[in-house]
Amino acid sequence: LKFIQCTPKTDGFQRILFEISIDPRLQTKAFADVNEISYFQYEDEILITLGALFRIEKVEQNKKEGMWIVHVTLASEDDFHLKETFSYMKSTIGEDTDLDSLGKILINMGEPKQARKCYQIMLDEARLTVGRAESGFGMAQLDCQEGVDSLQHLREALHIRETVLGENHADIGESHCNIGIVYWSELAQYDEALVSLKKAVEIQEATLPSDSLSLAKTYNNLGVTYDLQEEYELSLNYYRKALKIREKMLPNNHPDIGGCYNNIGKLYESKKNYEKALEYYEKSLEIMRKILPPTHAGVKMTEKNIRILENKIMH
C-alpha cells in the first residue's frame, strides 16, 4: 500500500494491487519465502518462479485507497492443460490494455457488474470526446463568423457535458463562457451574453483556483459585454481582474496581456479619457509587435485604434 500510494495518478493509468493467494498443499510452480536472504530483512517476501500461471478470482475497486485490487491464485500444475484455452481466449480479447479488453475479461470471468462499470466509463469518455469536438467545432465556426451554427454546436457540447459531469464542473463553466462569447460578439445579444457569462463565473469561482486562466477569460468577456452596454465601471472591474490573473500566470509579453491592455484602452477611449486610452493602446502594441507578425489581426486592430485616437486628439 505504501508503494502504490506513492505512485502518482495520471490520465489513462490506474493504480492496481495484485493480491496473490497460494495453497502450499497443491502441486504448483516453485515458490519460496526469501525473507531471511532478502536485502530488506524486515519485509515479508515471496519469490515465485517465472512462467507461473495465475487464475484471476476477483477484481474490485477500493475507492478509499484510490486503487483496484486484483485477487489471483497461483495455479496448480493441473491447471496448465488449460493454458491453450487461456491463450485462445486472450487472442479473442485482443492485446490492447484498455477498458474494452478489461470489460471482456470481466464478462468471461462471470463479473458482469464490474464489466458494466468499465463500459459505463468508456461511454462517458466517448461522450466527453464528442463534447470536446462539438465545443471546438463551435469555436471554429465563431471565428468564421457563423454565429448561429456556432451556438448550436456549443449548446450541444454543454448538453453532453452536463449529462456526464453534472452542472457544477469547470468544463460546464467553460461551455457557458463560450456561449456568452457568441451572444456578444456575433449576435449582439448582450443580456443573453451576461446570463451565460455569469453562470460561467459562478461555476468557475467554485471549482477553479482564483488565478485560473479560464476564469480570467470569463472575466475578460464580462468586461467586454459590460463595455458594449456602456457600463464602464463594471467593465473596468472585470478587465482588471482578468489582467491581474494573466500578469501573474503568463509570460510578460503574452498576447493575452496585450489584449487586456487594448480592451482597457478602448474603454478609456469610450469615456473620452484619450490620454489614458493612448497609454494602454501603446502598452498593447508594444507586446503584440514582439510576439505576433505585423499582419496579425490583433496588431492591425491596435494600430488602427491608435490612429483613430490620435486623430481625435488632434481635432
Side-chain angles (χ1 to χ4, degrees):
L1 282 174
K2 183 178 178 183
F3 282 125
I4 205 166
Q5 286 164 355
C6 290
T7 305
K9 293 178 74 174
T10 56
D11 291 342
F13 291 89
Q14 298 285 336
R15 295 166 169 169
I16 299 179
L17 181 70
F18 290 92
E19 190 172 292
I20 302 171
S21 298
I22 301 174
D23 185 344
R25 295 168 298 179
L26 298 178
Q27 186 178 356
T28 65
K29 290 288 186 182
F31 66 91
D33 181 343
V34 295
N35 191 39
E36 292 184 2
I37 58 172
S38 171
Y39 178 82
F40 299 100
Q41 295 181 4
Y42 301 104
E43 291 185 4
D44 294 332
E45 291 194 72
I46 303 292
L47 189 66
I48 302 171
T49 303
L50 286 171
L53 190 66
F54 298 91
R55 182 191 296 275
I56 301 173
E57 303 291 349
K58 184 169 63 171
V59 179
E60 60 185 1
Q61 188 177 18
N62 186 328
K63 291 185 179 179
K64 182 180 178 183
E65 300 290 350
M67 66 181 185
W68 293 81
I69 300 174
V70 181
H71 299 269
V72 301
T73 55
L74 182 61
S76 70
E77 293 289 0
D78 293 337
D79 287 325
F80 269 76
H81 71 278
L82 297 173
K83 200 165 187 178
E84 283 188 23
T85 305
F86 294 152
S87 296
Y88 171 76
M89 288 171 66
K90 184 177 179 182
S91 69
T92 60
I93 291 168
E95 294 295 328
D96 292 336
T97 53
D98 54 18
L99 286 167
D100 182 33
S101 61
L102 179 57
K104 288 174 181 175
I105 290 169
L106 289 167
I107 288 171
N108 286 335
M109 286 172 58
E111 294 278 359
K113 290 182 179 179
Q114 296 293 340
R116 188 173 62 188
K117 289 180 182 178
C118 288
Y119 288 114
Q120 184 62 58
I121 294 170
M122 277 188 73
L123 285 170
D124 288 346
E125 288 178 349
R127 291 185 184 114
L128 289 173
T129 298
V130 173
R132 287 193 295 274
E134 291 280 6
S135 182
F137 196 84
M139 294 307 287
Q141 284 184 305
L142 173 62
D143 287 347
C144 293
Q145 299 180 327
E146 299 169 0
V148 174
D149 291 336
S150 170
L151 195 59
Q152 178 183 342
H153 286 282
L154 292 174
R155 281 175 173 164
E156 182 60 26
L158 175 61
H159 172 71
I160 291 169
R161 287 173 171 178
E162 284 181 335
T163 301
V164 177
L165 302 172
E167 295 185 354
N168 295 310
H169 189 279
D171 288 354
I172 308 299
E174 179 192 55
S175 286
H176 282 301
C177 177
N178 291 340
I179 289 169
I181 294 171
V182 176
Y183 275 126
W184 75 253
S185 65
E186 281 296 306
L187 305 179
Q189 296 179 24
Y190 306 135
D191 289 339
E192 291 292 334
L194 286 176
V195 169
S196 293
L197 291 168
K198 284 177 180 178
K199 281 183 183 176
V201 161
E202 182 182 353
I203 293 167
Q204 289 174 325
E205 286 182 340
T207 58
L208 294 173
S210 59
D211 56 5
S212 163
L213 289 170
S214 295
L215 189 54
K217 176 183 173 182
T218 306
Y219 286 152
N220 186 66
N221 282 284
L222 274 165
V224 173
T225 309
Y226 280 122
D227 194 353
L228 291 166
Q229 291 190 316
E230 299 182 1
E231 296 276 359
Y232 297 131
E233 292 309 312
L234 280 171
S235 174
L236 187 58
N237 180 47
Y238 281 110
Y239 281 150
R240 283 174 172 162
K241 283 185 174 185
L243 180 61
K244 183 179 179 181
I245 294 171
R246 287 174 174 175
E247 285 181 330
K248 178 182 177 182
M249 302 303 293
L250 296 172
N252 293 335
N253 294 320
H254 195 282
D256 284 354
I257 295 175
C260 273
Y261 287 145
N262 182 75
N263 289 343
I264 294 171
K266 193 74 176 168
L267 183 147
Y268 278 120
E269 182 181 355
S270 299
K271 293 178 70 176
K272 302 190 185 309
N273 188 339
Y274 297 147
E275 184 179 337
K276 204 76 173 171
L278 186 60
E279 176 190 336
Y280 277 96
Y281 281 150
E282 288 175 343
K283 281 184 177 182
S284 173
L285 188 60
E286 182 183 359
I287 289 174
M288 290 189 175
R289 279 179 171 167
K290 287 179 181 177
I291 300 297
L292 301 173
T295 55
H296 190 277
V299 176
K300 294 173 78 172
M301 177 185 68
T302 306
E303 288 175 339
K304 180 182 177 183
N305 288 341
I306 290 174
R307 284 197 302 271
I308 293 170
L309 183 61
E310 287 175 339
N311 189 50
K312 287 180 179 178
I313 293 170
M314 288 173 63
H315 294 87

